Amino acid sequence: MPLLNLKNQALALISQTVSGQELAQLRIAFLGRKGQLNQVFKKLDKVNYGRQFNETKQAIESALTERQTQLTGTTAEWFDLTAPGQLPPLGHLHPISQAIAEIQRIFEHLGFTRVRYPEVDWDHYVFEALNMPADHPARDEWETIFIDAPAHPKLGQMVLTTHTSNGQVREMERVKKPPIRMLNLGKCYRRQQDPTHTIMFHQFEGLVVDKGISIPHLKGTLDYFGRQWFGPKIKSRIRPFHFQFTEPSFEVDMACVFCDQKGCRVCKNAGWLEMGGAGMVNQFVFESAGYVRNEWQGFAFGFGIDRLAMLKYHINDIRLLTGGDMRFLKQF
Ligand SMILES: [Zn+2]
């Protein structure tokens, strides 16, 4: 029974293969011109064993094909070892990363330089130096997360930064002698969670310090950014507001991108969307950084990046940005 033995041996080996390469080797070993099947058949009586030879050959052929299908999911009979490999899909940048790169590009055109300051910082830089002493009611707006670590004798407790404004005094201390055109861009943290707020979010802070800086410089900068971000026709406006570290202070609105200012659900029929805060740097902040009072003027502004991205890409739930759902992320 040499042909039956050969067939059983071949089928057993084929069933144990784990790659197309192994299958190709078995095909040559058994069915090749100098393969085992021909070797065995050579020694047999061609007339009596002719039919069994064909059956054995067919059985091995179909076992090879079937195994190939199991391994690759295709019916290809030949595995081309010289074909170039296929790269796995690599994806693309997250919409927030894309927004950050775009914001940086826009402000670099105006001469701003991106810096990075700590996201875990001393109370001093986050609040005190910005004219918000401990127990000041202005702090209530910032739902602060404190770090359970020993306080610094001068700089106070450590906190997760509630805004990128901690970069203001740090940058002034670093530069010492203006001009300053800073873009501090990073993550911020507050105790909050709903469809438009997450505990961790992204913000950027612009700071300009020089001689003779006034509100029109601020307004021009905001207008430029709005047009670059939302399109050439977008209008912006500033409304009086109050922040401890700017005087005067403003809230910044941009024309609603959804309704062309006709009024819609997103802008609550106002025609304007609130974008962020801004103002002229309070002289108290210059003093915190060791500058002489009234020697310099400056303006500062802070915007939420997640909100800017949501409005630009028409995303209605901020949690989609951190959900990790590929069906959502692939759209950008
Ligand atoms: Zn609208």
Side-chain angles (χ1 to χ4, degrees):
M1 307 294 280
L3 283 171
L4 187 60
N5 287 342
L6 185 72
K7 185 178 93 175
N8 289 341
Q9 193 197 345
L11 297 192
L13 286 170
I14 289 166
S15 70
Q16 289 162 20
T17 51
V18 293
S19 68
Q21 196 178 352
E22 280 183 57
L23 277 179
Q25 284 163 356
L26 286 182
R27 179 184 294 277
I28 295 165
F30 283 98
L31 303 181
R33 205 158 49 84
K34 291 179 179 171
Q36 292 193 41
L37 183 60
N38 282 338
Q39 298 293 337
V40 171
F41 190 52
K42 246 193 256 174
K43 296 169 195 155
L44 297 172
D45 172 6
K46 308 286 180 290
V47 179
N48 286 333
Y49 285 92
R51 186 189 158 117
Q52 209 190 337
F53 168 84
N54 284 330
E55 279 171 5
T56 308
K57 192 176 173 185
Q58 260 173 21
I60 297 174
E61 284 276 14
S62 38
L64 283 166
T65 309
E66 198 184 316
R67 186 65 186 157
Q68 178 78 38
T69 312
Q70 286 171 352
L71 289 177
T72 64
T74 73
T75 51
E77 286 195 347
W78 181 247
F79 189 85
D80 185 357
L81 300 174
T82 63
Q86 284 182 344
L87 286 174
L90 200 59
H92 58 74
L93 289 175
H94 189 277
I96 291 296
S97 302
Q98 293 180 35
I100 288 171
E102 175 69 4
I103 290 163
Q104 186 177 336
R105 189 192 64 79
I106 293 170
F107 282 102
E108 277 172 356
H109 273 251
L110 294 176
F112 283 74
T113 302
R114 184 178 171 187
V115 298
R116 302 196 82 148
Y117 285 118
E119 289 170 9
V120 183
D121 207 351
W122 300 108
D123 185 292
H124 173 78
Y125 290 106
V126 182
F127 294 119
E128 289 277 340
L130 299 176
N131 201 17
M132 283 182 280
D135 304 326
H136 194 284
R139 286 199 184 197
D140 294 349
E141 286 167 41
W142 282 266
E143 300 262 286
T144 312
I145 298 169
F146 289 87
I147 302 293
D148 188 9
H152 186 284
K154 290 211 178 79
L155 303 177
Q157 282 253 274
M158 271 209 148
V159 301
L160 294 185
T161 49
T162 52
H163 50 189
T164 40
S165 307
N166 65 318
Q168 290 192 17
V169 168
R170 281 191 172 274
E171 178 74 355
M172 291 176 197
E173 285 180 350
R174 185 185 71 83
V175 173
K176 293 191 180 72
K177 196 162 164 42
I180 290 172
R181 277 176 188 76
M182 172 200 87
L183 183 70
N184 180 30
L185 206 155
K187 299 188 196 78
C188 304
Y189 307 84
R190 295 184 197 177
R191 287 186 288 122
Q192 54 184 12
Q193 189 87 37
D194 65 45
T196 53
H197 296 91
T198 45
I199 285 180
M200 188 277 288
F201 56 100
H202 301 81
Q203 219 178 49
F204 66 84
E205 183 90 1
L207 175 70
V208 168
V209 180
D210 211 331
K211 300 275 189 196
I213 296 292
S214 61
I215 294 173
H217 294 122
L218 166 63
K219 184 65 169 60
T221 304
L222 296 172
D223 277 344
Y224 178 81
F225 174 71
R227 288 195 303 270
Q228 292 289 315
W229 183 259
F230 286 117
K233 280 190 275 180
I234 208 78
K235 283 188 282 187
S236 74
R237 72 174 184 187
I238 50 177
R239 281 179 292 115
F241 200 68
H242 175 80
F243 296 110
Q244 284 292 107
F245 44 108
T246 45
E247 180 56 37
S249 303
F250 309 103
E251 283 211 301
V252 184
D253 296 339
M254 293 206 181
C256 180
V257 284
F258 296 99
C259 66
D260 261 342
Q261 297 200 283
K262 289 183 190 78
C264 70
R265 199 177 53 82
V266 183
C267 62
K268 298 188 181 98
N269 283 320
W272 295 94
L273 293 167
E274 201 185 304
M275 288 291 163
M280 304 308 291
V281 178
N282 191 323
Q283 291 296 327
F284 177 96
V285 178
F286 287 131
E287 281 188 316
S288 298
Y291 290 15
V292 177
R293 197 176 183 93
N294 295 327
E295 194 180 346
W296 300 99
Q297 296 80 46
F299 63 78
F301 52 87
F303 283 60
I305 297 171
D306 309 75
R307 179 164 166 78
L308 283 170
M310 286 171 74
L311 291 171
K312 185 169 181 168
Y313 305 135
H314 295 210
I315 299 165
N316 58 9
D317 189 333
I318 196 170
R319 291 168 294 194
L320 285 167
L321 292 169
T322 47
D325 187 335
M326 291 303 288
R327 290 169 304 179
F328 166 74
L329 294 171
K330 274 181 180 167
Q331 297 173 53
F332 302 95

